[in-house]
Amino acid sequence: MRLIQIPLRILRYRLARAGVFSAGTPLVLTFSVTNRCNSRCKTCNIWKASSRDSEELSLDEIKLIFTSMDKLYFLNISGGEPFLREDLVETIRLAKKYLSPNLVHIPSNGLAVDLIERRVKEILEVLSGSKTMLTIKLSLDGVGERHDEIRGVKGNFDRVMETYRRLSKLREEYPNFHLGINTIISKFNVECLNEIVEYVRQLMPDSFVTEIAENRSELFNLQSDITPDPETYEMLIQSFVAKVKDDLKHKRSISKFTDASRLVYYGYVIRILKEKRQVLPCYAGISNAHLNPYGDVWPCCVLGYEKSMGNLRDFNYNFKRLWNSEQANAVRSFIKISKCYCPLANQAYFNMACNLTATLKIFETLISSW
């Protein structure tokens, strides 16, 4: 997708939320390719839902869906553990051909070291010759045994560090490869955030992202007590933000913009937790779509199964027909009228892009780093 098209899409989204136009098509697709996961995290129960493996979309079904969509800016391949999907590389190949995303993002727990290394290399070869950037985010929720305890797998820390070491070597060979680390801040590690930050800074990833643990329909954790209280989160995140600002001066251009966006995002997270409302108008189900492994289309993973917009198998795999259905419009009305709120990072970045005040804050942060 040409970057010049994005402002026009954003204008369309603003008018769609106001009820002037139809939603158009999303800029962002999160595709959870599988619920299978080899972690047993305290913050997530998605692995318990992996008994539906036989119902996962086939590669032929995925092709039909992708051919019914428009070009994307951002494709987020999620899970479960995405690298456990046997045809992951072929899925990316289809996405390149039919969706032409500017960015392909894949989070991973880093457990299957050899498998991840091999498939990342294969994906980079698939994307060679294109302008698409691949970003891999490895999960790190603690240092040493603390990470293993939270992730529920002994030896997880050592394996994710080995995965990081191997993937780091690929950055020299592939200029379109971006390697980052992601930390989920929960009640189980919130007091250890400074220790995690200092450890990650020594690793020098292309980016380091923190997200607050949430109750999400997709993760089957709606009854779990995992989210830190706003006051504790605010106190710790302020120290983290100061370090990110210091590191911002030494980042590459795309990393600078990404980190500037995240610095503004962290401020909105604090407000959302404290005020318990949509601090920014939410464009879930307009700018962003979420496709689960079984063909359900959601506005986001937080509402997930609770507010499905429909299943593509019932629409003959025609995404646009589902996206403009009565059920999809009803879900958008729910989000707008009920003003559900959450700090979901993937959606928040595009809510900020659709908001002039937030966008100006990002550029102000960016300019101050030069």
Side-chain angles (χ1 to χ4, degrees):
M1 170 180 286
R2 294 180 179 178
L3 294 179
I4 195 171
Q5 294 175 298
I6 294 178
L8 297 176
R9 287 273 196 102
I10 289 175
L11 177 60
R12 172 69 178 261
Y13 298 150
R14 289 174 61 92
L15 293 173
R17 196 175 191 278
V20 177
F21 285 145
S22 62
T25 53
L27 273 171
V28 182
L29 175 67
T30 294
F31 182 13
S32 296
V33 293
T34 185
N35 277 352
R36 284 172 285 164
C37 192
N38 44 2
S39 289
R40 298 293 182 263
C41 300
K42 289 185 175 183
T43 57
C44 173
N45 297 315
I46 198 169
W47 56 273
K48 295 180 180 179
S50 60
S51 59
R52 293 179 62 186
D53 288 352
S54 61
E55 300 177 30
E56 287 181 355
L57 292 167
S58 68
L59 199 62
D60 287 339
E61 289 177 303
I62 293 169
K63 178 179 178 180
L64 289 172
I65 293 167
F66 285 179
T67 56
S68 74
M69 300 181 68
D70 288 335
K71 306 300 183 185
L72 294 173
Y73 173 71
F74 185 66
L75 175 62
N76 181 34
I77 299 292
S78 186
E81 169 53 43
F83 286 99
L84 295 183
R85 175 88 187 207
E86 291 79 3
D87 55 10
L88 177 64
V89 177
E90 291 307 310
T91 298
I92 301 298
R93 192 185 305 277
L94 289 174
K96 176 189 175 184
K97 181 175 181 179
Y98 296 108
L99 303 179
S100 303
N102 296 61
L103 298 170
V104 174
H105 172 73
I106 310 177
S108 175
N109 58 30
L111 276 170
V113 182
D114 294 336
L115 177 67
I116 294 169
E117 180 186 24
R118 182 174 72 253
R119 290 195 170 153
V120 169
K121 288 180 179 178
E122 292 171 350
I123 292 169
L124 285 167
E125 287 302 315
V126 166
L127 297 178
S128 64
S130 72
K131 295 182 179 180
T132 302
M133 173 167 283
L134 174 66
T135 69
I136 302 292
K137 287 288 191 306
L138 298 177
S139 299
L140 188 68
D141 292 345
V143 178
E145 292 183 0
R146 176 61 65 94
H147 179 75
D148 295 356
E149 178 188 350
I150 294 172
R151 290 276 160 170
V153 177
K154 189 174 182 179
N156 192 330
F157 178 79
D158 291 337
R159 279 192 265 177
V160 74
M161 286 298 96
E162 175 62 15
T163 301
Y164 181 84
R165 184 187 67 80
R166 294 193 194 181
L167 295 186
S168 291
K169 296 179 180 179
L170 299 178
R171 290 186 287 186
E172 298 177 5
E173 185 177 354
Y174 297 95
N176 63 328
F177 180 50
H178 180 110
L179 179 61
I181 290 177
N182 182 69
T183 295
I184 302 297
I185 303 175
S186 68
K187 286 190 172 182
F188 308 113
N189 66 354
V190 66
E191 301 296 342
C192 304
L193 181 58
N194 287 332
E195 179 188 17
I196 298 170
V197 171
E198 290 306 316
Y199 185 85
V200 172
R201 291 182 83 190
Q202 295 174 23
L203 297 174
M204 300 181 67
D206 292 316
S207 65
F208 176 39
V209 183
T210 67
E211 297 181 45
I212 195 163
E214 298 177 81
N215 299 115
R216 300 180 184 178
S217 175
E218 180 193 30
L219 304 182
F220 300 92
N221 67 354
L222 293 178
Q223 306 306 316
S224 302
D225 183 20
I226 57 177
T227 308
D229 65 83
E231 290 72 26
T232 301
Y233 175 80
E234 181 179 17
M235 177 183 67
L236 291 170
I237 205 68
Q238 285 177 344
S239 173
F240 172 69
V241 164
K243 292 172 182 176
V244 173
K245 286 183 177 178
D246 185 51
D247 292 341
L248 197 60
K249 301 172 184 178
H250 311 292
K251 294 291 184 73
R252 293 183 295 176
S253 295
I254 188 167
S255 297
K256 276 180 178 285
F257 183 80
T258 302
D259 283 356
S261 299
R262 286 175 181 137
L263 287 170
V264 175
Y265 161 72
Y266 295 135
Y268 282 118
V269 172
I270 294 169
R271 289 189 57 190
I272 291 168
L273 293 175
K274 286 185 173 182
E275 300 175 26
K276 300 184 184 303
R277 66 180 182 89
Q278 278 186 31
V279 174
L280 295 175
C282 185
Y283 289 83
I286 301 176
S287 65
N288 295 41
H290 192 122
L291 174 62
N292 84 348
Y294 318 115
D296 297 306
V297 175
W298 303 333
C300 65
C301 62
V302 175
L303 294 177
Y305 296 98
E306 311 301 315
K307 290 293 177 182
S308 174
M309 303 171 91
N311 188 289
L312 282 161
R313 285 169 169 154
D314 298 328
F315 286 80
N316 199 29
Y317 307 102
N318 188 319
F319 181 88
K320 290 180 183 177
R321 191 154 67 88
L322 182 153
W323 195 242
N324 292 291
S325 67
E326 289 186 12
Q327 185 172 340
N329 288 329
V331 172
R332 293 185 189 101
S333 295
F334 169 83
I335 294 170
K336 181 179 178 179
I337 296 171
S338 72
K339 297 190 179 297
C340 57
Y341 62 91
C342 73
L344 179 65
N346 190 29
Q347 183 60 56
Y349 298 139
F350 281 86
N351 291 345
M352 291 190 298
C354 292
N355 183 275
L356 180 59
T357 300
T359 301
L360 291 175
K361 286 182 179 180
I362 293 171
F363 280 102
E364 180 182 352
T365 303
L366 187 62
I367 291 170
S368 66
S369 70
W370 292 101

